[in-house]
Each structure stands twice: as C-alpha cells, then as structure tokens.
Amino acid sequence: MDTETAPRAGVREWIGLAALALPAMLVIMDMSVLHLALPTLSRDLEPSGAELLWITDVYGFVIAGAMITMGTLGDRVGRRRMLMIGAMAMAFGFASVLAAYAPTAETLIVARALLGLAGAVLAPSTLSLISAMFHDAEQRSFAITVWMTSFMLGGAVGPLVGGVLLEAFWWGSVFLVAVPVMVFLLVAGPLVLPEVRNPDAGRLDLTSAAMSLAAILLVVLGVKEFAKEGVTWLPLLSLVIGLVIGALFVVRQRRLTDPLLDMKLFANRGFSVSLGTLTLTVVFMLGSQFLIAQYIQMVVGMEPLESAVWSLPMVISGTLAMFVAQGVAAQVGKAYVFGAGLTIAAIGFAVLSQVDSGSGIGTVVTAASLLFAGLMPVSSLGIGMIVDAAPPEQAGSAAAVGETTQELGGALGIAVLGSVLNVAYHSGMTGSVPDGVPASAREAVTDNLPAALEAAGRLPAETGARLVSVARDSFAQGLAWIAMGAVPVMLALAVTATVLLRNVGRAGEGVDQGGAAGEAGEAGESMSTAGSAAS
C-alpha cells in the first residue's frame, strides 16, 4: 500500500497503542520481577532445589512453547478477543492472584505456568494488532518502536519495582502489579482496539499445536540445562528430541491445507533474513546483559537493586537509539540502519573486551550502553519487518514467530555465552587457587564465581581476599574474551544483513518488493475496516 494513500492513525489508535504497550511491558516484567523475591520466597515456601528452578523457569518455558499456537489462534478467533482472554486470566484467574498468595511451592509453580500461558496469549496479540491499527508505514514503524521500548523497559523496571515492593510488602506483592494494568486493558480494550481475524482461516490443527509446544519446550529446556549443568546426556537428549519434533513439525506444515505456521513466509527475504538477524541480535544482547549483571554484582560488588539502577543507562541509550533509528530508516532504508547498529554493537564489545576486575562500573556501563544503542534498533526494526512481511491475516502467527525467536534467542544467549564464560573461568582458576583453600572446596571454587565468593567468607581474611581477587580476575577475563570474540561476529553480521536486506523497501514502501506485505496491503485495510466496524 502506498504511504500517500494509507489512512493515518488518529487519537483512538494512539490510545490503543498505550493499551497494548502496558501488557507487553508486564509480560517481560513478570520474568524479571521474581529474581529479587527468591530469597524471601524460599524462606516462606521452603522449595526444593528442583522446585526453585521450576518456579524461576516455568513462566518462560510456557510462553515460548505456546506463543506460536496462541498467535495463530488469534488470527482465527480474533486478536482482540485473545487479548481480553489473556488479560482476564492474568488479572482475575488462577494467575497473578494465585501466585501472590500461593501457600506452597507446587501451587506457585502452577500459578507461574498459568501466568506464562496468559503471557503467551497476550504477547502476539499486542504486536499483531499494531499492524492492523497503523496502516501508514512510518506511523506503524514508530508504533512498533514504542511497543519494543515497553518490552525492554519491562526487563529493566522489573527488578526496581520488585525491590521497592519487597521493602514494604511480602514477596507475593510482586505478582499483583499486573492486576490494575489488566483491569485497565479490559475496560479500554473494547473501546479503542479493533477486532481483527482471518475470516477464511481453517480449523486449528491440534497435532501441530502439540508438536510446536513439545519442540520448543524441549529445546529451551535443553539449552537452559546446558547452561546450568554443562554438557550431560539429559539436556543433550532433550535438545535432540526437540529438534527432531521441530523438523517433523515443519514437514507436517508443508502438507497441511491449513497449517499452524505457513512455511511460505520463510521464502520472503524480509521475513527470513530479519528473523535470522533478530535471533543472533537477541542472543548477544540478552546473553551479554546477563553476564554484565553478574559482573556488576559479583565483581564490582553491588547489591541487586543498586545493580538494577546501573542497568538503566543501557536501556535509556537503547531506547533513544530506537527512536532515532526509526527516523533514519525512513530516509536511508532499514538495511543500512541494521549495518550501522551492528557496527556500533561491535564497538561496544570492543570496549567491553578491555574490562578487568579493577575496571569499576564506568567501563562496563559505557560498553553496555553502546551495545544496547546498537542492538535495540536492530531488534525493533527486525520485529517490525517480520510482521510487515506477512499477509495481514497471518500477522498473529508472524508476530508469534518473532517473539518466540526472542525467547529462544534469550535462552540461547544465556546458555551459550554463560557456558563459554564458565569454561574461561575454570581455565583461569585452574592452578591459580591460592594456598590455604581446603581440598574439599577447590573443585567448587574453580567451577563458578558465586561458589568462590561463598567459600572465601569461610576462610581466614588474607586467604579469602586472595581467593576473591583471583576469582574475580578469572571471571572478568572470561567476559573480556567473549566480548573480543563477539566483535568479528557483529561486523560479519552487519555486512551480511546490509547486503541481503538492501533491496527491502524503506519505511513507506513494501517490506519486500513484490513480497507478501506489499501484495496484501489492500486486504489488510479491508480486514481492519471490517474489524473496526465490528467493534
């Protein structure tokens, strides 16, 4: 659809964007808000080690596993309807309230799983509705940037909100933040959001839905266990089975008349290249964020809440860069913004490669700010291109694929970069443990930094101080090695993305000349008009 003839959004659409941005923020906030509550939660509920892991991980597992199914279901039954169902489940069902007042660890695990299911219903609906509400390409790009900003702010604000609530209330209060926002969405949603569905959608293939859920859950579980336990047979088996089921899922989709996920989407360069770039971007962005947070807490020595405050500069720099990039992309094309962003990220990694145990907070925050300034615009533009590349009737499933990629990329980033850092740390500690550390503790202190810091507290002051110094040096050196290795990866990705996407249209043009988005523009307008009338 040509920009000059595309209807521009009015007040109703911008209020609707606010109604969509808030739940997007809460979906990611519910992942991070729990971390600070774990110590007091553990004292009250006394979960076993396995239960504590499930309390932490089941939310993300269910979101990742159910996202594609829920996105496709929204295309069939209505995206606003799915959004309202998710909001009701999170606000009033066995989700936020049940989690807040859970009497046992088992109840909390169930509540977190239900929260994950509600999040999987909410997330693709928020993004796919944006494509139905904003027909003008520049306005749509701006709206997606706002949505992406709210998504990233959720991760940064979560620990801050959690810290404030835990100062005044019990651990369950962190789960009640969602309730007033979901009530607002339930009231405002029917008034400002259109109902959009695909009137020609076939039946939902339950076998495909089960295969999608199983494949993603097994892959995410395998990756996370690799990060925690190293290369052992159980996570390897989980990963292999998940990949096999995923391959069978693809084969099944190609044979179905009404597939859960239309594999033809991947033939569109704007979709497939953006998806691949987004995956690698999220791997390095969230993986490095995880390691930098550890560095600030365990090497610099800050408390979790103070660490969360120091994470704000990188989110602010990334947010500003996203809005600047949105305007620049309209002038020079998204491919060149991808290349510039990934190059800035390479510079950030180069700065991070100079970090050591004595660098303090300045170097790492500067590096992180450059990383986020480079990678957040790539993520924002990438998710927008993924949604734009799909026909309007498949916007929900396309949004779900993009967001599932972010979930998988985050898990891969933490697992892969975390595992590399563990290897580097172990290598640095081998032969460097100071005399005076008991033989019974040597294996633990060479395994990870938290174990070394805990052991140091039980040793004589001088020996403990030497152990802390060596352990922090090894961790910082491992972080620097990862950053050094990331520089050529970012530069290679910058060149590849620029070359492959250089013919993809600028903001205001079709996503791919002759591609799905350009061909389906008029259909999208008619669908949205019908949806608005129905609402």
Side-chain angles (χ1 to χ4, degrees):
M1 186 186 303
D2 189 270
T3 305
E4 294 180 2
T5 60
R8 292 180 65 83
V11 174
R12 178 183 179 185
E13 284 76 19
W14 291 112
I15 296 174
L17 177 61
L20 295 174
L22 287 172
M25 179 185 293
L26 284 172
V27 167
I28 192 67
M29 185 186 292
D30 258 358
M31 289 186 180
S32 59
V33 75
L34 178 65
H35 295 164
L36 292 179
L38 286 177
T40 53
L41 179 157
S42 298
R43 286 195 296 269
D44 287 352
L45 301 185
E46 299 182 351
S48 65
E51 287 173 336
L52 192 60
L53 289 176
W54 277 109
I55 289 170
T56 304
D57 292 339
V58 71
Y59 179 82
F61 281 5
V62 174
I63 283 185
M67 191 91 75
I68 291 177
T69 299
M70 294 304 171
T72 305
L73 188 60
D75 289 336
R76 285 165 165 76
V77 306
R79 296 170 200 159
R80 188 181 67 186
R81 180 177 297 175
M82 291 296 289
L83 192 69
M84 296 298 101
I85 291 172
M88 189 169 293
M90 189 169 279
F92 298 117
F94 296 101
S96 297
V97 175
L98 181 62
Y101 295 99
T104 64
E106 293 86 351
T107 306
L108 183 56
I109 291 170
V110 172
R112 290 282 289 170
L114 290 170
L115 277 171
L117 187 60
V121 173
L122 284 167
S125 297
T126 60
L127 185 54
S128 59
L129 275 169
I130 288 175
S131 68
M133 293 161 57
F134 295 90
H135 303 290
D136 179 82
E138 291 186 7
Q139 286 189 326
R140 184 170 61 250
S141 181
F142 182 83
I144 290 176
T145 299
V146 171
W147 177 89
M148 189 69 185
T149 300
S150 69
F151 195 80
M152 296 304 300
L153 282 176
V157 171
L160 294 174
V161 172
V164 171
L165 289 174
L166 290 170
E167 288 290 327
F169 305 104
W170 85 113
W171 59 263
S173 62
V174 300
F175 298 112
L176 296 179
V177 177
V179 175
V181 176
M182 292 301 104
V183 171
F184 166 72
L185 180 59
L186 287 169
V187 173
L191 300 177
V192 296
L193 300 176
E195 181 58 284
V196 184
R197 66 174 65 87
N198 179 9
D200 299 320
R203 67 180 182 85
L204 181 68
D205 182 53
L206 295 179
T207 301
S208 294
M211 292 175 72
S212 168
L213 180 65
I216 294 173
L217 285 178
L218 287 169
V219 168
V220 173
L221 179 61
V223 167
K224 283 182 173 286
E225 288 303 308
F226 272 134
K228 294 170 185 172
E229 306 296 336
V231 181
T232 59
W233 71 270
L234 189 58
L236 181 61
L237 181 64
S238 175
L239 189 59
V240 169
I241 294 175
L243 291 174
V244 169
I245 295 175
L248 294 174
F249 171 82
V250 172
V251 171
R252 183 175 179 84
Q253 301 316 293
R254 292 185 180 277
R255 294 177 178 175
L256 291 174
T257 304
D258 299 307
L260 184 72
L261 178 62
D262 189 355
M263 304 310 294
K264 293 177 184 177
L265 287 173
F266 292 89
N268 183 294
R269 181 176 294 186
F271 184 89
S272 56
V273 176
S274 297
L275 190 66
T277 304
L278 177 66
T279 302
L280 289 174
T281 296
V282 173
V283 164
F284 281 94
M285 184 167 66
L286 297 187
S288 58
Q289 182 184 23
F290 172 71
L291 299 182
I292 288 170
Q294 288 189 308
Y295 176 91
I296 293 174
Q297 290 184 47
M298 293 186 292
V299 177
V300 178
M302 291 186 175
E303 294 297 321
L305 185 57
E306 189 180 8
S307 173
V309 172
W310 278 104
S311 71
L312 290 178
M314 59 179 127
V315 176
I316 292 171
S317 69
T319 300
L320 293 175
M322 278 198 299
F323 284 101
V324 172
Q326 187 263 336
V328 173
Q331 301 299 318
V332 304
K334 294 178 181 178
Y336 299 102
V337 176
F338 272 43
L342 292 163
T343 301
I344 292 171
I347 296 171
F349 277 117
V351 174
L352 190 61
S353 70
Q354 304 305 305
V355 75
D356 57 38
S357 61
S359 296
I361 197 67
T363 301
V364 73
V365 170
T366 300
S369 297
L370 286 169
L371 284 176
F372 272 64
L375 295 181
M376 281 181 66
V378 176
S379 298
S380 175
L381 293 174
I383 198 76
M385 291 176 73
I386 288 168
V387 176
D388 283 349
E393 67 272 13
Q394 294 180 336
S397 56
V401 170
E403 294 190 58
T404 300
T405 294
Q406 293 192 63
E407 296 294 332
L408 291 175
L412 281 170
I414 293 172
V416 174
L417 299 191
S419 297
V420 172
L421 183 60
N422 286 341
V423 170
Y425 173 84
H426 182 77
S427 175
M429 289 295 290
T430 301
S432 301
V433 179
D435 295 334
V437 176
S440 59
R442 283 179 174 265
E443 182 177 354
V445 301
T446 59
D447 186 52
N448 59 76
L449 179 56
L453 296 178
E454 184 179 348
R458 300 193 299 267
L459 297 173
E462 186 176 347
T463 304
R466 288 202 306 270
L467 176 59
V468 167
S469 177
V470 170
R472 285 175 169 169
D473 284 342
S474 297
F475 186 94
Q477 186 179 53
L479 180 59
W481 286 355
I482 289 174
M484 194 177 301
V487 172
V489 175
M490 291 292 103
L491 293 176
L493 188 59
V495 173
T496 302
T498 303
V499 170
L500 293 179
L501 293 174
R502 67 185 185 279
N503 291 326
V504 173
R506 300 178 183 182
E509 300 176 7
V511 170
D512 203 347
Q513 293 175 359
E519 296 171 359
E522 292 184 6
E525 184 178 359
S526 62
M527 283 180 64
S528 294
T529 301
S532 297
S535 66

